[in-house]
Every structure is written in structure tokens, then in C-alpha cells.
Amino acid sequence: MNVRRGPARLSSDGPSSPERPEPAGQSPYAAFAVYGALDDVALAALGNRGLLRRGRAELAAGRVESERGPADDGAAPHPAPETLTIRVGRPPIPVTLTAAGPQDARCPCPVAGICLHVLAACLWMREAVNRGGTAEDSGATEVTTGPTPSQARPTGTRPPEAPAHESGSDPVLEEVLAWEPACVEKSLGAEARRRVQASLAGLDPDRLATGTEVTSAPGRLSITWPGAPEVVVIAGLGPRGMIVSGRHSPTANAAWRLQSVIRLFARAGRPWPWPDETTTLSDRQHDALSTITTAIETIASAGISHAGPRSAADLGRLAQVSRLEELPRLSRLLTSAAGRLRALAEHDDAVDEATVFSALAAAWSLTQALTAVTDPPGPALIGPADTETAETGLLLPLSATWWTTPSGSRGLTIRLWDLDNGRPEAVTTGRAAGVDAAFRYSEDAILLWGASVKNILSGPLRLTGAARRPDGALAPSSRTAVTRRSGEAGYDDVDLEAVAERLQQVGSGPEAARFEAPVARVRLIMVAKDGLGPIDIDEVHQRYLWPVTSTDGHRRLLTMEVGGREMQMVSDVLSRELQVHAITVEGDRPAGVFVREHGRICLLATTFPPSCSASNREYRRLRRRTEQMHSRMRTQAPEKNRTDQTPMRALAQDVHEALTALAASGTTRPTGMVAHVLRTRARMADDLQLTTLAAALAEVDNRPSPSAVLRACAVVDRLDALTR
């Protein structure tokens, strides 16, 4: 058999196999000729460089051999087989290679993806192909790296590469450009097409072309662009035979392949003809959305306070259905709502009806948006499904919060500011109760990115191998490593005031009005001289109050839970009279304190107080006041934090409380004080030109229903997010 090395054109049925005429005297390994183009770059992308080195060592040691190959039969008159078994290692592991390429290789070992055995077998087959497939060479141990005998070079060297546009007419590039776009999409799958189409929507083709780098070698093209893994095209293997470096889900793998082909077309000045879709969602997706809508409205009509674990389990099941129907954003919202509803049913003090109501309304509103679209839904509605590579700059730690739940789960959330890209970042890691004893409450424990909390908070840092989760947060991947900038740790050379100004601007614009329930806004307060007041007790709400005056003259009341660690840290800072430069605030709670200690500015996490400090006396005094407050009656209402109480925010809070009362009880028709609040706030919303909110509240009053209550909650939550 012989393999035609010209362009492999894709038919309407998908990639066609290269034609293989069989002239007499041809190498018995000709059916496997595609392995001859697998240079070290392609093999490293297929697995990794470590596997490549180990596979080369196995080959050099003579531990890779054919079980029974074409060479054993001599010049057989019948065609050579399309599969071949290679035994690798001691004891030998049988690896089956196919003529279709390494992507279809089969190995019985338990390692997921490309393993050492497959890579070593590919090295053996490459040698057999490039040496002509003679019997005496089939077990050769000398390793070469070039794709052809004439280009053989010492082991470990990388074949010379040239930019594809400089190498003249490249046969592999011509092969790719001969593929039919519709057949490429069919070969790689509809989900990959939808994902790539959404990610490239509105992107200028010229920008797409200029941002793509292509290098060529005999029988191979390598495509790279910012934020993407390397994609390797091997001659004759078609789109499904393309190699994507790293480990990805099948859908993500196919999406990377498709986008690389589109980018090659853009470099050639050829636009990609996306299919003209007449339908936006499938019938199954519409059925799933209808079922989810009904389930949420049923919970609201029955009353959130009356919902039990069964309702939470139903929502969790629907979350799985949403993921199977390729609606990842809806799946995440339903998962969140199910978790909060379950916690409420289990009487978790950290969750109340208002929190559950907002989560249900967010999921419900997304179902309505998906049902109403007339164009293909974009990423804002569908959402990303898999973890992706994250491009981050120099990161400034802002806070580190250790948290626990009544069920025993514990975790760590760290918030950062990207100084290079001007955006907030966050990462959360955690463990369930009784899982991973090494994951413990300690500044010195290795909890995230292979580093301790103390190490992460010691100063600005960079990440290598960072990944981003579908919800936008950084992934707590063990493959991510923390690297320090040169110089001494600390924050003395960081313009904290500029960071405070930027944080004031983000998280408050249109980007904050997402489907997810509003989260606590992160701000950085620059503390004025003598701007720290004494800690007091709010006996009505049972919390500590800490007045802080910023450099712009605004006075804010920060709150701390009774029995929490924040007050212990703050009292320690106050008792030692440390100079406080700035305070990281999440909502109205202090999460990090920038102080000058030991001659430099450092960051203290409020949930990691010192074990022994001079603050113990002050802390004990406040604790005694807390224990005694129930024995005294005080009628004076606590001072409210008026800084954030704008008319719109006050309106949003009043409306949400009234709507929560309806949803908690299951009474959709407002009466009494609830009706009065909703009517007066509807008029106020109209006066403030909040027409959408006014219309939603009017619907609750005039046409009461679970859908009307959920819609009004979704609208007011968006308003609350915009005014935080």
C-alpha cells in the first residue's frame, strides 16, 4: 500500500481516507505513513515533553517491539493490515495503532488520555515508517527526530520550523484550505461549532488572522494564538486527527481544532461560512426550559419556607438535565439554587428565604430569556462549559477569607486585583466535611496553588498555568503555580489609592447586572489619619460596629459578627496602634487590612487573627459586653450606615423584603403592609424613571402569580447589583 500525500479533501460524509494504491515492492508500513510526520513537536503536543523523554528511553532500551507486524510476513501478496500491535515496556503492554493516526490508539493501561505506552509505540512506528519498514529495522533502537530519513538529526533536537507564510507553498496548509467548512463542522460536532461561533462573534477577521501564529515543518503545521493551547495539524489525518496540547474535555478539544482551522482560513483571506440557523434551541432544550420554569414557579407558589429536601433534589436533577442539554449557565444557577434551598430546609443559619428567593429568580429569569431569543443564543445566555486558560497579569492580593458551614464544609476564598489588566479576580477552594485532613485552618497550610495563605498574601504575585472556571473565577488547580516578582515582598511600591479608585468604578456598571444573584461588592477604603474609631456593639442586630473614615471624608460603619474572627483581628490592630493604610471591604465587612508592620506595608487577613496578642484584653472586654447585652434593654436604634443608602438602593431593599414575604409564604396576592409597600414603591420607581421595575411591581399587584413575583425579584436584584 501507498499513501497519497496530497491534500485530503473532505466529502459530505466527513473526512475521507487518503487513497492508498499498492504498487509492488512498497513498504509494508505504508498504511501507517502518517506516523512518519509525527516529529517531536507533534508528539510533545500529543502527550507532554516528559512522556516523550520516557518514551524515547523505552525505545532506546529495546523495550518497544512489534507483536506481529507486516514485516514478519515478508512480501505478502495481500494488503497490509490497518492495525498493528506494539508491545511496550517490561512486562510488555500491548498498544494497538491504527492507520488513522495516534488519536485512535488503544492501550489497556488505566491512564486516561495519551499514556507513555502510546507515545513509545508512536515513536517506534515513526522509525519503522521513516526507515522503509525493513524487518531488520523494525526493532531498531536508535532514535531519530526528523520525519523523513533525509532529514534525520540527533536525538532530542527540534526540526527546523519556519513561519508558514514564509515557506512558500506548504502542502499541509494547502490540504487544510481544501477542506470544506461544512464537513469540518460536521466532523468536529455541533457543540464545538456553537462554542466557537459564540466566542468569535463580532471579532474582526483581520484581527483573527494577525493574532494567529503558524509554523511549519515537513508534514506538520503548528497553530498558536494568545490564551490557547498549541494545535498541530498532521498531513493526511483530517480535522479529527489534529492534536491539541494539554488535557481538555472532548468538546473543548474539538472546539480548539475548529478554531485553529478558522484562523488558518482567515490568514488566507477566506471568511468562514457559518451555517444559517433557522432555530435557536432544539425541541429538547425547549422542553427542559419549560420543565424548569414550572418547577421553580411551583416552589414559589407553595412557599419557599415550606420547601424541603425533595424540592432541592428536584432542582439538582434539573441542573444535570440542563448540562446534558448544553445549557451550562442555567445548570450552574440551578445548582446554586438547589444548594441554598437544601441549606434552608436543613435550618442553616447562613441561608435565609431572601437568598434562596434571589437564586430561584435568577434561574427563572434565564429560562425566560432563553425561551424568548430569536437569534442563536450567545455566551451571555449559554455560558462557557469548561475550564479555560486564564491570562492574568501582576495580581495584588486584597483579602483571604476562611469560611465554614454548619454541615462541616470549609474553604478559602481569596480576592485579588489584576494590576496589569485592571480587573478583579477571585478564587475559591474548599473541602466537604471529613475530607482531606491536610486542608485545615492555618496560614501555613498549603491550601491553594501549591502555596500557603501567608505566602500568597506576602505581596503581589504572578500565576503560571492559570485556568478560569466557567463562572469566571480562577480555578484552584494544582497545576497553577505562584511566582514572585523580583525584589522584596510587601506592598510599599503599590499605588493602593489608584487601586481603590479603580475598584470604586468596577462592579457597579452594566457588567454587574448578570443573571447570578448579586454578590458583595469589593472595595478598598483608604483610611484617613485618625480615621479609625472604637469598636462598639449593635445590640439590636447583635453585631460589632467599627466606624472608619476614609481619606475623602466619608464615614463608614463596618460590621463584624459576634463570635467571628474579624473582630479579634481588628482589635489586635487597634490595641497595637498599627498604622492602617487601607481596608478591603466586602459588602460592609472588613476582609483585609493593609498595615505598616516591621518597617513595610503588609496585608492581614481578618479571618486569620493572631493566636496570642495584646488585643486579648480588649477582645475579652467586648465579649463580656456581648454576653451582658441581653440583660439590659436599650431602645435606641443602632446607627445606620447611610453611605450606601441611596434612594435607589433603599427602594431595592424595601421591594425585595416585600417580595420575599410573598414568596416565603406562597401568597402571591399582596395584602396588608406588603401591598402598601409594593404600591408606594411602584410609584417611587415611576418617579425615578425605573419603568421596568414599576411595571413589574404593577403586575404583582394587578395580576398576581408566581411568575410575576419571580420577575419582579429578578428586576429588583439587577437594580440592587447596579447600585452597589
Side-chain angles (χ1 to χ4, degrees):
M1 281 187 184
N2 188 23
V3 176
R4 182 175 57 89
R5 301 306 298 269
R9 185 173 297 274
L10 299 181
S11 68
S12 59
D13 298 326
S16 63
S17 300
E19 299 176 3
R20 298 187 176 98
E22 303 170 17
Q26 187 64 37
S27 166
Y29 291 98
F32 301 86
V34 293
Y35 290 87
L38 294 176
D39 60 5
D40 283 1
V41 176
L43 291 175
L46 183 68
N48 54 62
R49 295 188 180 278
L51 286 181
L52 180 60
R53 287 193 299 269
R54 294 169 60 190
R56 199 182 284 126
E58 291 289 319
L59 189 62
R63 293 191 290 267
V64 186
E65 57 188 6
S66 172
E67 182 180 70
R68 182 179 183 274
D72 299 328
D73 297 327
H78 54 80
E82 296 289 319
T83 63
L84 182 65
T85 300
I86 309 294
R87 293 188 173 273
V88 180
R90 297 290 185 271
I93 302 295
V95 178
T96 302
L97 297 182
T98 72
Q103 298 285 41
D104 294 334
R106 301 186 298 273
C107 179
C109 80
V111 177
I114 300 298
C115 61
L116 167 65
H117 310 109
V118 171
L119 208 60
C122 291
L123 283 168
W124 186 95
M125 183 58 72
R126 184 180 72 181
E127 293 303 307
V129 170
N130 291 337
R131 293 181 180 274
T134 60
E136 60 269 23
D137 287 335
S138 62
T141 59
E142 182 184 355
V143 180
T144 63
T145 60
T148 63
S150 62
Q151 296 170 322
R153 52 184 53 83
T155 301
T157 63
R158 180 174 177 140
E161 297 181 347
H165 65 279
E166 297 178 358
S167 59
S169 179
D170 187 275
V172 184
L173 180 59
E174 291 181 355
E175 176 183 337
V176 174
L177 296 178
W179 294 347
E180 298 178 8
C183 300
V184 175
E185 294 176 1
K186 183 178 180 180
S187 175
L188 297 178
E191 174 58 22
R193 176 188 56 75
R194 284 192 292 266
R195 182 177 300 187
V196 176
Q197 186 176 5
S199 65
L200 300 183
L203 190 62
D204 184 38
D206 293 337
R207 182 181 175 186
L208 196 67
T210 57
T212 305
E213 295 184 4
V214 181
T215 56
S216 64
R220 185 256 304 168
L221 282 182
S222 295
I223 306 104
T224 58
W225 63 92
E230 182 181 18
V231 182
V232 180
V233 183
I234 305 298
L237 292 187
R240 296 187 69 252
M242 298 168 66
I243 299 172
V244 182
S245 62
R247 292 191 176 184
H248 313 274
S249 68
T251 301
N253 203 305
W256 288 124
R257 298 178 195 174
L258 177 58
Q259 187 171 167
S260 66
V261 176
I262 295 173
R263 289 176 174 270
L264 289 178
F265 272 57
R267 285 172 56 93
R270 296 173 54 183
W272 191 262
W274 295 110
D276 184 17
E277 295 186 338
T278 58
T279 60
T280 58
L281 298 173
S282 66
D283 293 339
R284 294 184 55 176
Q285 287 175 321
H286 278 291
D287 292 341
L289 292 174
S290 178
T291 303
I292 294 168
T293 300
T294 302
I296 295 175
E297 292 177 355
T298 300
I299 294 174
S301 64
I304 296 175
S305 298
H306 307 307
R310 182 175 179 180
S311 298
D314 290 340
L315 285 182
R317 178 181 58 80
L318 291 174
Q320 296 298 323
V321 172
S322 300
R323 177 162 291 278
L324 292 175
E325 296 301 330
E326 301 173 353
L327 300 170
R329 186 162 202 165
L330 179 58
S331 176
R332 288 191 293 273
L333 291 179
L334 289 172
T335 301
S336 175
R340 295 180 180 186
L341 188 60
R342 185 179 299 105
L344 182 66
E346 296 173 353
H347 307 289
D348 188 342
D349 294 335
V351 179
D352 55 14
E353 286 86 353
T355 304
V356 177
F357 185 32
S358 290
L360 291 173
W364 181 89
S365 63
L366 181 54
T367 64
Q368 304 307 294
L370 286 167
T371 304
V373 294
T374 57
D375 297 321
L381 298 179
I382 299 297
D386 300 290
T387 299
E388 301 176 345
T389 302
E391 296 293 328
T392 59
L394 183 62
L395 298 175
L396 171 72
L398 296 174
S399 67
T401 303
W402 178 267
W403 48 265
T404 57
T405 65
S407 64
S409 299
R410 73 278 190 205
L412 175 70
T413 297
I414 294 181
R415 299 188 181 275
L416 313 102
W417 175 258
D418 193 324
L419 293 167
D420 295 336
N421 300 305
R423 64 190 181 203
E425 297 282 7
V427 58
T428 297
T429 184
R431 301 292 189 274
V435 177
D436 191 1
F439 192 89
R440 66 187 189 281
Y441 173 72
S442 173
E443 276 192 306
D444 299 317
I446 307 300
L447 304 178
L448 178 69
W449 298 328
S452 65
V453 175
K454 182 181 295 185
N455 184 12
I456 293 175
L457 300 185
S458 63
L461 53 94
R462 295 188 183 275
L463 300 177
T464 56
R468 192 174 303 280
R469 293 176 10 182
D471 60 1
L474 296 176
S477 174
S478 60
R479 293 186 291 272
T480 303
V482 174
T483 59
R484 288 291 171 195
R485 59 177 184 170
S486 59
E488 187 178 355
Y491 300 87
D492 292 84
D493 58 345
V494 178
D495 191 349
L496 294 177
E497 187 172 356
V499 175
E501 293 178 358
R502 292 297 304 277
L503 276 171
Q504 193 66 28
Q505 300 170 3
V506 301
S508 60
E511 69 276 3
R514 301 173 179 174
F515 288 96
E516 290 78 7
V519 296
R521 184 181 173 189
V522 178
R523 293 171 297 172
L524 189 64
I525 298 176
M526 303 303 299
V527 180
K529 186 178 181 180
D530 300 326
L532 302 178
I535 301 175
D536 201 358
I537 298 178
D538 175 358
E539 297 188 4
V540 175
H541 296 90
Q542 298 187 25
R543 59 184 181 177
Y544 295 109
L545 300 177
W546 186 27
V548 176
T549 303
S550 60
T551 53
D552 57 5
H554 287 85
R555 184 172 180 267
R556 296 174 170 84
L557 280 179
L558 306 184
T559 66
M560 296 171 285
E561 292 183 358
V562 172
R565 299 185 178 97
E566 295 93 341
M567 198 279 291
Q568 187 176 353
M569 169 62 76
V570 171
S571 62
D572 173 71
V573 171
L574 296 178
S575 65
R576 291 195 288 158
E577 298 182 349
L578 296 176
Q579 182 183 357
V580 178
H581 290 265
I583 301 174
T584 302
V585 179
E586 298 180 12
D588 59 355
R589 298 178 60 179
V593 184
F594 289 89
V595 303
R596 181 167 292 279
E597 189 177 22
H598 306 302
R600 60 185 179 90
I601 297 177
C602 59
L603 173 61
L604 304 178
T606 56
T607 56
F608 290 90
S611 56
C612 296
S613 68
S615 68
N616 288 341
R617 183 173 60 182
E618 177 68 14
Y619 178 70
R620 288 195 296 269
R621 185 185 67 83
L622 290 170
R623 289 288 295 175
R624 285 196 297 270
R625 284 189 59 190
T626 304
E627 295 170 357
Q628 297 170 359
M629 70 180 173
H630 295 293
S631 63
R632 296 181 284 116
M633 297 295 295
R634 293 181 62 178
T635 58
Q636 183 179 359
E639 182 182 1
K640 293 185 178 180
N641 189 357
R642 295 289 181 182
T643 303
D644 297 326
Q645 289 294 94
T646 63
M648 287 188 182
R649 181 123 192 250
L651 169 65
Q653 292 178 350
D654 292 344
V655 171
H656 199 281
E657 290 178 2
L659 293 173
T660 300
L662 294 176
S665 63
T667 305
T668 57
R669 181 177 295 278
T671 58
M673 182 55 69
V674 173
H676 172 73
V677 170
L678 292 178
R679 290 166 186 167
T680 56
R681 299 311 185 267
R683 291 194 294 269
M684 186 182 298
D686 193 54
D687 293 338
L688 294 172
Q689 298 183 353
L690 302 174
T691 56
T692 302
L693 178 59
L697 296 179
E699 184 180 4
V700 173
D701 191 27
N702 300 327
R703 296 182 299 276
S705 65
S707 61
V709 175
L710 289 164
R711 181 178 293 104
C713 178
V715 173
V716 77
D717 277 344
R718 304 288 74 72
L719 175 63
D720 187 38
L722 291 170
T723 56
R724 285 175 178 264

